[in-house]
Amino acid sequence: MQADGVDAVRTGELPAGRAVLARGLRCLAVLALAAPLAGCFQPLYGSRTLDGGPSVNLALSQVDIAQIPAPNGTPEARIAVELRNQLLFGLAGGNPAPPTHRLDIRITTTRVSIIVDTQTARPDVENFGITATYNLVDLKTGKPVVTDQAFSRVSYDIPGQQQRFARQRALRDAENRAAGVIAETVRSRLASYFVAGT
């Protein structure tokens, strides 16, 4: 008798009322299992936390971003300024608060030819990359609380070998895009630290 009931469930031959009841019980079981986890989630960039504490945006605005060291007059110096500006805008949004943490960053850049023209031996596509090593230091204790690394690789086309200025502009755009990816990666990592503490 029980085996027939199991076969009836498998083949979908239960009476309509019992099928609806079985489906409802399954949904109820799933909701009962999910209910304890519902309190674990909160909006990352909300105006306040679920327990009424300070928001992540406030914590991010209290991060002082130190000057990024780079040799003067080099392309890395311009990239360092671009990255710092994007971090300042992304973390504080133009409204910095009194600092509780300091962010120290060091960058290295790479440029690699990906596709080379066989006739002229000049590159058609290049790849630009930034690797950033950063530390978030708690100003009260002076100890680093986050040490991590972020990297970005961006490709760009060279529109023609005679167009030298277009190549320089494409490189500049690739540098800016790579700096933007690094800034967003660092911002997300710091936000997760301020939410989870790790």
Side-chain angles (χ1 to χ4, degrees):
M1 183 79 165
Q2 202 170 19
D4 293 338
V6 170
D7 290 338
V9 169
R10 286 184 186 152
T11 59
E13 297 174 5
L14 282 178
R18 289 188 70 192
V20 170
L21 180 62
R23 192 173 297 131
L25 287 175
R26 275 187 251 136
C27 289
L28 187 61
V30 169
L31 289 175
L33 290 173
L37 296 175
C40 298
F41 298 104
Q42 64 182 358
L44 184 60
Y45 299 112
S47 60
R48 59 187 168 142
T49 60
L50 293 177
D51 60 359
S55 70
V56 174
N57 288 334
L58 176 62
L60 290 175
S61 69
Q62 293 175 324
V63 175
D64 178 37
I65 302 162
Q67 295 288 336
I68 301 171
N72 288 336
T74 62
E76 284 81 14
R78 192 198 71 77
I79 296 166
V81 170
E82 177 68 24
L83 176 58
R84 185 171 186 268
N85 287 342
Q86 291 200 26
L87 282 168
L88 285 170
F89 182 76
L91 295 180
N95 299 315
T100 59
H101 293 79
R102 184 183 71 244
L103 182 65
D104 297 322
I105 302 177
R106 298 205 179 277
I107 62 169
T108 57
T109 61
T110 58
R111 193 167 128 191
V112 180
S113 297
I114 302 297
I115 299 176
V116 178
D117 188 341
T118 57
Q119 302 289 330
T120 63
R122 293 179 178 168
D124 285 335
V125 177
E126 288 186 333
N127 198 358
F128 178 79
I130 299 176
T131 301
T133 304
Y134 58 95
N135 293 317
L136 182 67
V137 178
D138 188 347
L139 293 178
K140 287 181 184 174
T141 62
K143 295 182 180 179
V145 291
V146 174
T147 300
D148 210 342
Q149 193 173 50
F151 64 90
S152 173
R153 304 293 180 258
V154 178
S155 64
Y156 60 97
D157 295 335
I158 300 169
Q161 299 307 325
Q162 292 77 25
Q163 299 182 16
R164 293 178 300 167
F165 299 114
R167 178 183 185 186
Q168 290 303 316
R169 183 68 241 182
L171 174 60
R172 173 78 54 96
D173 289 344
E175 292 169 349
N176 292 344
R177 284 185 289 140
V181 170
I182 294 289
E184 188 57 37
T185 302
V186 171
R187 180 178 188 256
S188 297
R189 177 63 181 97
L190 296 184
S192 70
Y193 165 75
F194 286 120
V195 168
T198 58

